[in-house]
Amino acid sequence: MKSITRITNNIQIKQKLILSYLLVVFVPVLTVGLLLTESLKDMAVEHAVAQSVNNVEKIKKQVDETLKIPTDISNKIYFDKQLKVLVSRNYESTLEVFRAYADYTELNDYVQLYKELANIRFYVDNPTLLENWAIFKLGPDMPGEVWYKEALQKRGKIGWYFIPDPTKKDQRYVSLVRPVYYDNMSFCGMLVITVNPAILHSIINQEPFETMILSDQDEVLAAKNPSLVGSSMKHLQLVDSLGSQDAQVEDTVYEGKPVKVIIQSMQPENSNNHLRIISIVPLETILRASERISIFAYGIIFSSLLFALLAIFFFSGALTKRIGLLIRDIRMVARGDLNHSSMVQGTDEIGQLSRHFNFMVKSVDELMKRVDEAQRQQHTLELKQREIKFKMLANQVNPHFLFNVLETIRMKAVVQEETEIADSVRSLGKLLRHNLEIGQEAVSLVSEIDLVRTYLQIQKFRFGDKLSYELPDPEEAEGILILPMLLQPIVENAIIHGIENIMGQGMVAVRLERRMTDFALIVSDNGPGIDMDKCKRIMNLLDDPEEEEGQRIGLRNVHQRIQLYYGASYGLSISSVPEQGTTVHILLPLGGGNIDV
């Protein structure tokens, strides 16, 4: 790490920024972009394949339901005794054949009833019968057909083949082939039920990709592209999925392009052969949308990287230029030019460094001047200090002198038997002594109540019988500590704004309510009171940090001192009823002496 640090310390800032950009931004962003793009392609392929698998499974169910109808019809025909009697008789006249055909219409009725059926043909070896659209004579070439031979070998099993239909100009269609036997298991005839190709095409045509139904010989029985019907798909070299219940996915080439082939095998009920449903998903089609997104993403990535590179060149150039100017300024000051100042502008770190550099140069210059005049400034400072001390001593008032004068006045009042005046002077001295000795430490609530009592005694001397008061019993306040000078300003406020403004008897009462974790001092008077709006304004002013002339600053100071030391849960609350008086609640916590004031 030391070697790396030493090497990087020798690289210019502009080169460091570009190198950091390449290592921290360019390479990671480009790598993440490539990985995300490839992941997007894989996700697109997986989604398309999963969708195609679901579609193929859906086609399988629909085809199975479609083929179930001709299967059920073949079961009915296989056990149709009337049909077997019809084809086994030897007829002597054409009229007799027509009458027999007129009595048996089930084959035509099935075709009319089920849209899944194109026609039903029954091939028999009876020369006395006539051919119609349902019953055909077994031709000499038919026993040589592959489908005919395979059907006979399965002994009653159903086979699905792509064979010509003589009623449709020998066009080939998907057909059910099944031999029918008499009760003694002798051959009766060959049943062929042609499936309606429109039904199969409608099932497949709704798919987005090329979809086909193949025989087990890879012959196309039905396809979304009708031109593929009847062609062979052996060139796809599909995996042998016969008998598999799960869809299989292969990678192969179709029409010269890579594709995903989904293969789903199915075996219709009571069938001797399998069918396969395949869906060909071109990778080019799947990836076309993801490639557009990739191109757009690459464009954004490269544009962002290029913009970031240009921004780094711009900001690094501006940065190195300003640093170069600051280096030049430092060199000039180092040569002794203390009158030079740096002109680098801005509020960033370099601008701040320039301002601090100018401040440092100015400080050094001033320091050198101070050193040159140190002795003269030291002498002047000593003279000023002596003068200040003298003025402070001259302006000081000795509290003992003040207390001695008050005591002299009190003694003379006692000699003159002016007991009331003497008591008032004594109370005033006690109050002044308390105010001069007040500190910053918590005091007992008992002493604060005693101070209020002294204050009220002085006011009693002033108001005479107009003023009466009530204070808590000192025993109730035992063990409670509070900040000094919290109660007296509230009582003084009650005297000034309450008692002084009434004509009759005035009453100031102080009550103490103790609770589990806090206590309340309640100061009430029977003064003129204040209306609700003014009371709300006073409460709002208690939290105002700015003092306003003419406002109740005493209440505000007490309230803010309480909240400062005890927290926002404590303080003053005021309630008043006009013409009935005002009540101030002082809420404080118990154990207030633990608070560092």
Side-chain angles (χ1 to χ4, degrees):
M1 290 299 297
K2 292 183 179 180
S3 301
I4 295 174
T5 304
R6 186 170 57 254
I7 293 173
T8 54
N9 288 340
N10 296 327
I11 300 176
Q12 294 183 352
I13 293 179
K14 186 175 184 179
Q15 295 175 349
K16 288 180 182 177
L17 290 175
I18 295 174
L19 181 61
S20 300
Y21 165 76
L22 293 175
L23 295 178
V24 178
V25 178
F26 186 85
V27 174
V29 169
L30 191 60
T31 302
V32 171
L34 293 173
L35 293 176
L36 290 178
T37 302
E38 292 301 320
S39 299
L40 179 63
K41 292 181 180 179
D42 294 339
M43 290 173 59
V45 172
E46 291 175 1
H47 176 74
V49 169
Q51 184 65 36
S52 298
V53 169
N54 292 335
N55 292 344
V56 167
E57 184 66 28
K58 180 180 67 175
I59 292 173
K60 175 185 175 182
K61 293 180 180 179
Q62 293 177 340
V63 171
D64 190 60
E65 292 175 358
T66 301
L67 298 185
K68 185 175 177 56
I69 294 175
T71 299
D72 294 340
I73 299 300
S74 71
N75 291 332
K76 295 179 181 180
I77 296 174
Y78 189 88
F79 296 102
D80 192 343
K81 293 183 179 180
Q82 185 180 356
L83 175 62
K84 293 179 181 180
V85 171
L86 173 68
V87 299
S88 63
R89 287 178 54 189
N90 289 323
Y91 298 93
E92 296 180 356
S93 65
T94 303
L95 179 59
E96 189 178 358
V97 174
F98 281 128
R99 286 176 178 174
Y101 285 170
D103 293 336
Y104 185 80
T105 61
E106 276 76 1
L107 298 182
N108 290 328
D109 291 343
Y110 288 143
V111 175
Q112 295 298 324
L113 186 61
Y114 297 100
K115 65 179 180 178
E116 289 82 3
L117 308 181
N119 62 61
I120 301 176
R121 306 189 304 278
F122 193 61
Y123 293 91
V124 297
D125 187 12
N126 187 345
T128 63
L129 286 174
L130 298 175
E131 291 186 347
N132 61 7
W133 290 106
I135 299 176
F136 290 80
K137 291 182 180 180
L138 190 62
D141 297 332
M142 189 170 293
E145 296 291 340
V146 174
W147 59 271
Y148 189 89
K149 293 179 180 179
E150 290 183 359
L152 286 178
Q153 292 174 358
K154 299 301 180 180
R155 300 294 295 176
K157 287 277 189 177
I158 294 174
W160 297 94
Y161 300 96
F162 196 62
I163 61 177
D165 185 353
T167 66
K168 307 291 184 182
K169 298 181 181 180
D170 287 335
Q171 293 186 12
R172 297 198 299 169
Y173 297 100
V174 178
S175 302
L176 178 149
V177 179
R178 184 177 188 179
V180 179
Y181 296 91
Y182 293 112
D183 293 341
N184 60 3
M185 295 307 296
S186 60
F187 181 71
C188 176
M190 187 65 70
L191 176 64
V192 177
I193 302 177
T194 301
V195 180
N196 188 352
I199 299 297
L200 295 178
H201 183 71
S202 65
I203 295 174
I204 298 175
N205 192 49
Q206 59 187 341
E207 298 306 311
F209 305 112
E210 185 61 66
T211 306
M212 312 173 192
I213 302 176
L214 304 183
S215 67
D216 50 9
Q217 301 298 322
D218 290 338
E219 187 178 21
V220 180
L221 304 181
K224 182 178 180 180
N225 182 5
S227 64
L228 297 176
V229 176
S231 61
S232 176
M233 288 290 126
K234 290 186 179 295
H235 63 280
L236 285 179
Q237 298 180 352
L238 302 177
V239 67
D240 185 9
S241 61
L242 298 181
S244 175
Q245 296 298 320
D246 298 326
Q248 301 184 26
V249 182
E250 290 187 38
D251 292 311
T252 184
V253 177
Y254 178 72
E255 295 182 351
K257 296 180 180 179
V259 295
K260 292 277 187 181
V261 179
I262 294 89
I263 309 167
Q264 177 67 67
S265 176
M266 64 174 293
Q267 185 175 17
E269 181 183 353
N270 200 25
S271 176
N272 63 9
N273 56 358
H274 291 75
L275 301 179
R276 286 193 290 185
I277 301 171
I278 70 168
S279 179
I280 301 175
V281 183
L283 293 179
E284 180 182 1
T285 303
I286 300 174
L287 298 177
R288 188 176 297 132
S290 63
E291 286 177 354
R292 287 197 299 268
I293 297 176
S294 299
I295 293 173
F296 181 72
Y298 281 134
I300 293 178
I301 291 173
F302 282 112
S303 299
S304 301
L305 293 176
L306 180 59
F307 176 79
L309 183 61
L310 294 177
I312 285 179
F313 271 106
F314 174 78
F315 289 116
S316 63
L319 182 65
T320 53
K321 180 179 179 181
R322 297 171 71 209
I323 292 177
L325 292 175
L326 188 58
I327 292 173
R328 184 199 63 184
D329 296 334
I330 293 174
R331 288 174 178 171
M332 294 184 68
V333 173
R335 295 191 186 103
D337 187 2
L338 296 179
N339 293 322
H340 180 76
S341 62
S342 176
M343 302 302 294
V344 177
Q345 303 296 323
T347 59
D348 60 356
E349 289 81 356
I350 298 177
Q352 295 178 18
L353 185 61
S354 174
R355 289 191 294 275
H356 286 297
F357 171 76
N358 291 335
F359 179 76
M360 181 192 68
V361 172
K362 183 178 180 181
S363 297
V364 170
D365 186 34
E366 291 178 355
L367 182 60
M368 292 181 67
K369 292 179 180 178
R370 289 175 184 174
V371 171
D372 293 339
E373 300 179 359
Q375 293 181 352
R376 183 180 59 82
Q377 291 179 351
Q378 184 65 28
H379 179 69
T380 303
L381 181 61
E382 290 178 356
L383 291 177
K384 288 183 178 180
Q385 288 177 345
R386 291 173 184 173
E387 183 180 356
I388 291 172
K389 289 181 180 180
F390 177 77
K391 289 181 179 180
M392 291 176 62
L393 291 174
N395 291 330
Q396 286 183 343
V397 176
N398 191 334
H400 295 287
F401 171 75
L402 181 60
F403 295 144
N404 291 334
V405 172
L406 288 175
E407 183 63 19
T408 301
I409 296 173
R410 188 183 74 82
M411 291 303 297
K412 288 186 176 182
V414 171
V415 172
Q416 298 294 327
E417 296 184 355
E418 295 289 344
T419 306
E420 188 176 7
I421 295 175
D423 291 341
S424 298
V425 171
R426 182 177 60 82
S427 297
L428 178 61
K430 183 178 179 181
L431 184 64
L432 290 175
R433 182 182 297 275
H434 180 275
N435 290 339
L436 289 172
E437 295 177 352
I438 191 171
Q440 294 295 320
E441 297 179 353
V443 297
S444 66
L445 180 57
V446 174
S447 65
E448 284 295 289
I449 294 174
D450 186 57
L451 174 66
V452 171
R453 181 177 288 106
T454 301
Y455 171 76
L456 289 173
Q457 288 173 352
I458 296 173
Q459 292 290 4
K460 181 75 173 176
F461 175 74
R462 174 187 173 193
F463 289 100
D465 294 335
K466 180 181 179 180
L467 173 65
S468 61
Y469 58 87
E470 293 180 1
L471 295 174
D473 192 333
E475 294 182 356
E476 297 180 28
E478 286 294 337
I480 299 178
L481 298 178
I482 64 172
L483 289 173
M485 294 299 290
L486 292 185
L487 184 57
Q488 189 268 337
I490 307 302
V491 174
E492 181 179 352
N493 191 76
I495 296 292
I496 295 173
H497 297 283
I499 305 306
E500 286 186 359
N501 297 322
I502 62 174
M503 297 298 295
Q505 179 73 27
M507 176 67 179
V508 176
V510 179
R511 292 186 292 111
L512 171 63
E513 292 184 0
R514 297 185 66 157
R515 301 159 188 166
M516 294 295 294
T517 59
D518 55 32
F519 67 95
L521 291 170
I522 304 171
V523 181
S524 60
D525 64 72
N526 62 343
I530 52 180
D531 58 47
M532 184 179 298
D533 292 338
K534 187 175 181 181
C535 187
K536 289 182 179 179
R537 288 197 300 271
I538 294 174
M539 286 297 297
N540 293 332
L541 288 171
L542 294 181
D543 294 317
D544 192 352
E546 297 294 334
E547 295 185 0
E548 297 184 14
E549 184 177 357
Q551 302 299 337
R552 305 197 179 195
I553 300 174
L555 293 176
R556 174 186 162 279
N557 287 342
V558 171
H559 177 73
Q560 293 191 3
R561 284 180 64 207
I562 292 174
Q563 291 204 333
L564 176 64
Y565 296 122
Y566 297 122
S569 301
Y570 302 96
L572 303 184
S573 62
I574 304 173
S575 61
S576 181
V577 178
E579 306 303 330
Q580 294 186 20
T582 303
T583 301
V584 179
H585 287 73
I586 309 172
L587 182 61
L588 298 169
L590 286 173
N594 296 329
I595 297 177
D596 185 11
V597 296

